[in-house]
Amino acid sequence: ALAEEEGPTIQGLDSSVEIEAGSSKEMGLSLSPANEISDVKWECNVDQSNTGISASFSGNTLIINVANDKTTAKIQVTATYTESAAPPDPGSGESEGEETTPEATQAEATEKTVQGNCTVTVKNTPVDIKVTGVELTATSTSLNLTTSKTATLTAAITPDDATDKSVTWSVSGDA
């Protein structure tokens, strides 16, 4: 069995990223190993339409933009490149006496592609849950405090999952 020739791989491409809605992420990409490689052209495709996720290239930088709170999308990145094979050794003619022409000593160039994938997940944007009610409870049903007397007041905030359940206490009147 013949071993398959291994080509270059895409470096700098995260296989999975989380991005907040309304923001973007950039990834600088390259091919490795880069020997004998030239004319790299980068392309990308988002696998789902209307996800609010878009991707494009600026040079070798993949730019992913997230517009809304849709969940995930897969981006396929393709690098098309030219690979140059080393020119044949001029002294290695197949038969003795064969002339080596200038064209035969040129490197052979082949266009090839390599692909990679990145799954983009949109981070859930925190929802601000407003307080809808405050209920006060005290240690007794009525409070009539005189100097050096104390009582305990407790505030119960609803809903239980309100974003900000902090309470600011103040006293007004004669203190």
Side-chain angles (χ1 to χ4, degrees), residues 9-140:
T9 57
I10 298 174
Q11 301 296 303
L13 179 64
D14 296 335
S15 62
S16 180
V17 293
E18 267 192 357
I19 305 174
E20 287 187 29
S23 62
S24 64
K25 178 172 178 69
E26 294 185 4
M27 289 183 241
L29 306 183
S30 63
L31 294 180
S32 179
N35 351 348
E36 313 297 330
I37 292 177
S38 62
D39 301 323
V40 179
K41 295 175 191 83
W42 296 96
E43 295 177 347
C44 57
N45 293 306
V46 179
D47 75 346
Q48 300 170 345
S49 59
N50 298 322
T51 61
I53 297 172
S54 63
S56 61
F57 272 96
S58 175
N60 68 329
T61 301
L62 174 63
I63 304 165
I64 303 169
N65 294 298
V66 177
N68 58 30
D69 290 334
K70 298 285 183 177
T71 54
T72 62
K74 188 166 141 182
I75 298 173
Q76 183 177 58
V77 173
T78 303
T80 303
Y81 60 95
T82 302
E83 184 175 66
S84 300
D89 183 358
S92 67
E94 288 185 20
S95 63
E96 296 230 5
E98 184 178 311
E99 278 192 44
T100 305
T101 63
E103 292 81 23
T105 60
Q106 301 271 326
E108 191 174 310
T110 308
E111 187 170 276
K112 296 185 175 183
T113 61
V114 63
Q115 293 182 329
N117 294 305
C118 175
T119 300
V120 178
T121 304
V122 180
K123 286 183 184 179
N124 290 334
T125 327
V127 176
D128 188 23
I129 300 172
K130 304 283 186 200
V131 171
T132 58
V134 178
E135 185 178 325
L136 294 177
T137 56
T139 51
S140 65

